[in-house]
Amino acid sequence: MACLARFLVVCLSLVMILAVARLPSPAEAMGLPQPPPNLNFTIAVEGVVWCNTCRYAGYVKSMDSSPLPNAAALLQCRRGDDGRVLSVWNTTDADGYFLIQADWQSTPFKSKDCMVFVPVSPVRGCSVAVIPRRKGATLKFRRFVPVSRDELQARYSAGNFTFAPKDPAKC
Ligand SMILES: *[C@@H]1O[C@H](CO)[C@@H](O)[C@H](O)[C@H]1NC(C)=O
Ligand SMILES: *[C@@H]1O[C@H](CO)[C@@H](O)[C@H](O)[C@H]1NC(C)=O
Ligand SMILES: *[C@@H]1O[C@H](CO)[C@@H](O)[C@H](O)[C@H]1NC(C)=O
C-alpha cells in the first residue's frame, strides 16, 4: 500500500513538472500548425479560353469546343477602402491556358477584391462571350505554390471562358 502511494506521488509530481515546464497554446494543444505572423503571399490566377462549336486546332470532342490561343486575360483587383487598383495581363497559349502571376503589389488585396476578364475573343469568327457573360469571373483558391525562398504564391482558378460564333457556318 505504502509502495503504491509513493508511486502515485512520484507520478503526480512528474505530471506537475511537465505541465509547468510546457504550457501549450490552444492551437498547439489541438495539433494545429502555427501560421507565421504576417504571412505575405502574391496572387496568381489561371484559366482556359474556349470557342464552343467551332473546330480549330486542339478541338475537344467531349466539350464540343476548341482552345483559343492568343486571348488576352486581365486580372483586376480593387480595394474599397483606399481605392487601390491592380491590373495584370497575360495571354493564352496553344491550349487556351493562361496564368497571370501578379507581383508584390498584389499582397494587399484579398481574392474577393479581384476579378478576371477576357474582354475580347482573339478570333473574329467566334466572338460572342457565353461564359461568363460580361461581369468577369471570381477567383477560387486552388493551392499555395512556393515560388522562391521568400515568395509564397496563392494560386487561384478563374475557370473556363467560353466564346461562341455568331454564325456557326462562319467559324
Ligand atoms: C509583407 O509585405 C509588406 C508590404 O510589402 C512588407 O512591408 C512586410 O515586411 C512583409 N512581411 C513579411 C513577413 O515579409
Ligand atoms: C505569362 O504567362 C507565362 C506562361 O504561363 C508565364 O511564364 C509568365 O510568368 C506570365 N506572366 C505574367 C505577368 O503573369
Ligand atoms: C472547364 O471545362 C472542363 C471541361 O468541361 C471541366 O472539366 C472543368 O471542370 C471546367 N473548369 C471549371 C473551373 O469549371
Side-chain angles (χ1 to χ4, degrees):
M1 203 59 210
C3 188
L4 179 61
R6 201 157 63 217
F7 175 73
L8 280 175
V9 167
V10 169
C11 277
L12 273 175
S13 43
L14 257 177
V15 166
M16 292 294 287
I17 289 165
L18 284 174
V20 171
R22 195 167 174 284
L23 284 169
S25 74
E28 271 182 319
M30 290 190 297
L32 297 174
Q34 300 277 41
N38 259 329
L39 180 64
N40 269 344
F41 50 81
T42 55
I43 293 177
V45 62
E46 56 195 356
V48 186
V49 183
W50 300 96
C51 172
N52 191 232
T53 71
C54 296
R55 298 191 177 214
Y56 304 140
Y59 176 76
V60 178
K61 200 172 173 191
S62 61
M63 291 175 69
D64 187 25
S65 299
S66 308
L68 289 180
N70 304 314
L74 168 67
L75 167 68
Q76 196 160 64
C77 306
R78 190 183 299 273
R79 264 166 50 139
D81 53 352
D82 60 4
R84 196 194 291 234
V85 175
L86 174 78
S87 297
V88 189
W89 292 88
N90 211 346
T91 51
T92 55
D93 64 14
D95 298 320
Y97 170 84
F98 67 83
L99 172 64
I100 300 172
Q101 309 196 78
D103 63 12
W104 286 107
Q105 290 177 2
S106 64
T107 58
F109 296 95
K110 297 195 162 49
S111 58
K112 64 173 171 52
D113 299 330
C114 305
M115 298 281 282
V116 178
F117 304 88
V118 178
V120 291
S121 167
V123 177
R124 191 184 273 266
C126 191
S127 59
V128 182
V130 181
I131 303 167
R133 273 172 187 280
R134 202 172 290 122
K135 301 188 298 283
T138 55
L139 279 62
K140 290 174 194 67
F141 179 75
R142 285 290 177 264
R143 61 193 178 278
F144 280 113
V145 178
V147 176
S148 65
R149 245 189 67 185
D150 35 41
E151 181 181 351
L152 185 62
Q153 184 185 79
R155 188 71 66 92
Y156 297 86
S157 170
N160 293 315
F161 292 78
T162 305
F163 292 90
K166 275 203 192 76
D167 176 359
K170 290 183 184 156
C171 276

